[in-house]
Amino acid sequence: MTNDRWSQWLLTRRDGDSEPIRAQNAVSLAAFRDGVLARAALRPDDVVLDVGCGTGLIGFAALERLGPAGQVIFTDISDDLLDECRRTAGDDPRASFVRAGADDLTGIEDASVDVVTMRSVLLYSDRKEAAFHEFFRVLRPGGRLSLFEPINRFLVEHGPHRMFGLPDSPVDDLLRKISLVYFDAGSAAASQTIVDFDERDLLAWADAAGFDAIELDYRAELRALADPIVDWEGLKRTAPNPLAPTYGDVIAGVLTAEEQRRLDTYMRGLAEAATPTRRTLGMAFLAARRP
């Protein structure tokens, strides 16, 4: 059993240890992974630095695309996640592992890698601009940066109280109580780093760091049709990010026993009927080159 909040979330709390939720999440994760790698334009002998590697979603897919001379350096601030990646890599000599954060890549030499990849890492850093300078430092001339970040500021600005993809429901009063824990700036569960930037900041930081040929693909969805809730009990075991409590813990803390029963009855009914939800989100892919 690990005490590392980052590995706890990626290994269990992201999907509530629920196979239906894990399968549902896998679709979007694959799209994010493929989007990052497509923009990285990998070559067989590239040295790839995967920043905030997590369980290796991008890093291991990069290894599959590289040749025998290619390399992937897995970096993360979590020792538990680096150990997880070591186990997955086995004896592959093309994989190496360094404990480092995005904004301080100590251990990676100047101009030593061809590609920097990253997915959903900057939102947890309070030194985002410094991270871009680190990416620039470790890349060789002509090296490529490819990253993905959710733009949570868009979510906050467009209906933060619409929990679980329910735009209007008989349990809106209960959902608002739950949402206040996650979105109220004064809440202990609220982390300002995940909402303190948008896609324009990503462009500005890349430019200020010295990158060229910067391309940003931004997508926003506002109350778009989305997948149904597939496992309500499993969903209660999930958390929206590593810094937040699970939905179940929040529900138990802010709702009375009767309110919990009312919410459970309604949500189970939605899951059984496979009722589509609504999705509001913003996200951005950014690609750039070091001159």
Side-chain angles (χ1 to χ4, degrees), residues 42-177:
L42 298 182
R43 300 163 184 160
D45 59 351
D46 275 340
V47 176
V48 178
L49 176 66
D50 187 24
V51 177
C53 63
T55 56
L57 176 74
I58 291 175
F60 288 113
L63 279 175
E64 293 176 357
R65 291 161 168 80
L66 296 175
Q71 300 176 49
V72 174
I73 305 169
F74 294 77
T75 68
D76 206 285
I77 60 172
S78 166
D79 288 324
D80 289 329
L81 289 172
L82 289 174
D83 287 343
E84 182 76 14
C85 288
R86 286 189 184 95
R87 287 190 288 270
T88 302
D91 58 0
D92 191 332
R94 302 174 301 159
S96 59
F97 309 89
V98 176
R99 190 182 190 279
D103 55 15
D104 183 5
L105 293 169
T106 301
I108 308 298
E109 296 182 0
D110 294 358
S112 61
V113 305
D114 301 295
V115 177
V116 171
T117 59
M118 185 176 66
R119 183 196 69 83
S120 301
V121 175
L122 284 178
L123 75 164
Y124 302 116
S125 173
D126 58 4
R127 299 180 66 243
K128 297 176 177 67
E129 185 171 4
F132 279 88
H133 286 277
E134 281 291 85
F135 304 156
F136 189 90
R137 176 183 67 79
V138 301
L139 280 167
R140 295 170 177 146
R144 288 94 67 202
L145 169 66
S146 181
L147 62 84
F148 167 90
E149 287 292 330
I151 307 300
N152 289 322
R153 180 180 291 175
F154 180 85
L155 174 62
V156 171
E157 292 174 349
H158 295 275
H161 301 301
R162 302 306 188 185
M163 296 293 296
F164 309 123
L166 306 180
D168 293 292
S169 76
V171 293
D172 272 358
D173 57 323
L174 309 182
L175 299 180
R176 182 169 289 275
K177 290 182 180 181

Side-chain angles (χ1 to χ4, degrees), residues 163-171 175 228-232 263-277:
M163 296 293 296
F164 309 123
L166 306 180
D168 293 292
S169 76
V171 293
L175 299 180
I229 294 169
V230 293
D231 179 358
W232 170 237
L263 180 65
D264 283 341
T265 299
Y266 182 75
M267 299 300 283
R268 287 171 184 149
L270 291 182
E272 290 171 3
T275 304
T277 59

Side-chain angles (χ1 to χ4, degrees), residues 20-31:
I21 295 176
R22 186 174 294 121
Q24 201 173 58
N25 289 343
V27 177
S28 58
L29 289 173

Side-chain angles (χ1 to χ4, degrees), residues 8-23:
Q8 281 183 352
W9 187 72
L10 284 172
L11 296 174
T12 59
R13 294 171 75 243
R14 179 169 62 184
D15 53 38
D17 208 22
S18 163
E19 284 301 328
I21 295 176
R22 186 174 294 121

